[in-house]
Amino acid sequence: MSVDPAKRTAERPLQEPDAQAEAFAVVRQAHQMETTEDYVELIDDLITSQGEARLVEVAERLGISQPSAGKTVARLQREGYVTSEPYRSIFLTEKGKKLADASRERHDVVYQFLLKIGVSDTTAKIDSEGLEHHVSEETLDAFRRIINAR
Amino acid sequence: MSVDPAKRTAERPLQEPDAQAEAFAVVRQAHQMETTEDYVELIDDLITSQGEARLVEVAERLGISQPSAGKTVARLQREGYVTSEPYRSIFLTEKGKKLADASRERHDVVYQFLLKIGVSDTTAKIDSEGLEHHVSEETLDAFRRIINAR
DNA sequence: GTATAAACTAAGCCATGGCTAAATTTAAGA
DNA sequence: TCTTAAATTTAGCCATGGCTTAGTTTATAC
Ligand SMILES: [Mn+2]
Ligand SMILES: [Mn+2]
Ligand SMILES: [Mn+2]
Ligand SMILES: [Mn+2]
């Protein structure tokens, strides 16, 4: 499956510097939103299934310490995605709920797509958690077409 | 394509906390390698196509400042992926070259896969730059099967 | 009601990877 | 050669998101 390096040079010439830089900029932008998306999606899931989102559970499900989760929740509050009073549970703002819904929808498409092409459930869950943040609308549409194909 | 929230709860119950935490841990691990992979791949491409990898070009193609690129190259040197003497160009170590080759191969599979499912070249280039770091071997194999399907 | 446990916050540490401004070194040109 | 431009380094700034340790508040249990 690997390719002769000499051949590769001819077959995959360098992109234009500007185009390449733009691609990296898009990735950096996606990373900047990634934590926010994962938190609001998780908080929304907890509210739906447990009635409330407690910091202790957010931290447990992210696999990080409570203070780390708390610091990010504080940032999300600063940025208007969530609200919470000291020692109370976490709520989504309108803005946060909207982002949560969009993120879950996109996450689900990626997950279902992986299952459709024969990836195991465990791997689909793991891979979709990372992939979801780097899928454009155009690629998402291609995924949807394949999901809906018989 | 979106789903009734009430239904979703039934259809997509929360994962086990441990499994979910493990997925996030895998993503964090991937992010930790991401910069390293992009740099060695780019440095290798520059050496192949231009004869050498200069910091100025690495920075330009990443779309970041020269000092930022220089700082990361210094880390890569500390970690044994590259060598370079002051004011000279950048070389890959054995370890760096190996990682570059593996990264390019994986990147190419993702790129070719996107093209195969009907994504435009421009979008395939952009999306593959982010997606490449979050694709497991199992998913990569599924991608290869589709690439090779007639 | 009070003691204890659980949850949360506060404080302060670290690495990564962005940035700008200002030196320094190397390369190029007249 | 000598001047100047380009490339690189140095220094120091910032935000994010990890961590631990220690204090505070709330909830639980008796
Ligand atoms: Mn998600
Ligand atoms: Mn995710
Ligand atoms: Mn990449
Ligand atoms: Mn990523």
Side-chain angles (χ1 to χ4, degrees):
Chain A
M1 198 61 28
S2 79
V3 176
D4 173 18
K7 251 189 182 171
R8 185 191 54 74
T9 304
E11 285 168 14
R12 203 188 69 158
L14 289 179
Q15 290 177 66
E16 286 302 301
D18 285 11
Q20 191 163 12
E22 170 61 16
F24 284 117
V26 168
V27 176
R28 285 193 297 271
Q29 182 58 45
H31 283 154
Q32 205 184 318
M33 285 306 294
E34 177 158 347
T35 302
T36 301
E37 291 166 353
D38 286 337
Y39 272 69
V40 297
E41 189 186 342
L42 175 54
I43 289 164
D44 195 37
D45 286 345
L46 289 173
I47 289 171
T48 299
S49 63
Q50 327 253 288
E52 63 176 354
R54 299 302 310 209
L55 188 60
V56 62
E57 184 130 8
V58 171
E60 185 193 5
R61 288 180 173 273
L62 291 169
I64 63 180
S65 71
Q66 243 169 274
S68 296
K71 200 197 280 193
T72 295
V73 168
R75 173 174 70 75
L76 298 187
Q77 183 151 27
R78 278 202 320 271
E79 295 174 355
Y81 294 99
V82 309
T83 61
S84 84
E85 288 149 68
Y87 298 96
R88 293 272 133 67
S89 71
I90 306 156
F91 299 89
L92 292 175
T93 62
E94 188 87 17
K95 179 181 173 185
K97 174 62 172 160
K98 221 170 193 172
L99 182 62
D101 287 341
S103 298
R104 180 187 311 105
E105 148 75 357
R106 194 188 51 183
H107 193 152
D108 279 350
V109 170
V110 174
Y111 171 64
Q112 295 296 338
F113 169 76
L114 290 176
L115 293 181
K116 181 80 174 197
I117 65 172
V119 172
S120 70
D121 186 72
T122 302
T123 299
K125 284 196 170 91
I126 292 171
D127 286 10
S128 65
E129 193 57 75
L131 294 174
E132 58 167 343
H133 310 282
H134 300 283
V135 170
S136 64
E137 267 308 312
E138 184 187 341
T139 294
L140 220 43
D141 280 340
F143 284 10
R144 289 194 187 97
R145 279 195 297 275
I146 291 175
I147 292 172
N148 295 326
R150 50 184 182 74
Chain B
M1 197 59 30
S2 80
V3 176
D4 174 17
K7 251 190 183 170
R8 185 190 53 74
T9 305
E11 285 168 14
R12 204 188 68 158
L14 289 180
Q15 290 176 66
E16 286 302 302
D18 285 11
Q20 191 162 12
E22 170 60 15
F24 283 118
V26 168
V27 176
R28 285 193 298 270
Q29 181 57 46
H31 283 153
Q32 204 183 317
M33 285 305 295
E34 176 157 347
T35 302
T36 302
E37 291 166 352
D38 286 337
Y39 272 70
V40 297
E41 189 185 341
L42 174 54
I43 288 165
D44 195 37
D45 286 344
L46 289 173
I47 290 171
T48 299
S49 63
Q50 326 254 289
E52 63 175 355
R54 299 301 313 208
L55 188 60
V56 62
E57 184 131 7
V58 171
E60 186 193 4
R61 287 181 174 273
L62 289 169
I64 64 180
S65 71
Q66 246 168 272
S68 296
K71 198 195 282 191
T72 295
V73 168
R75 173 175 69 75
L76 298 187
Q77 183 151 27
R78 278 202 319 272
E79 294 174 356
Y81 294 100
V82 308
T83 62
S84 85
E85 287 148 68
Y87 298 97
R88 292 273 133 68
S89 71
I90 305 157
F91 300 89
L92 292 175
T93 63
E94 188 87 17
K95 179 181 174 186
K97 175 62 173 160
K98 223 171 191 169
L99 182 62
D101 287 341
S103 298
R104 180 186 310 104
E105 149 74 357
R106 193 188 52 182
H107 194 152
D108 278 351
V109 170
V110 174
Y111 171 64
Q112 295 298 336
F113 170 77
L114 291 176
L115 293 180
K116 181 80 173 196
I117 65 172
V119 172
S120 70
D121 186 72
T122 302
T123 299
K125 285 196 169 90
I126 292 171
D127 286 10
S128 65
E129 194 57 74
L131 295 174
E132 57 167 341
H133 310 282
H134 300 283
V135 171
S136 65
E137 268 307 313
E138 184 186 340
T139 294
L140 219 44
D141 279 341
F143 284 10
R144 289 193 188 96
R145 279 196 296 276
I146 291 176
I147 291 172
N148 295 326
R150 23 141 227 94

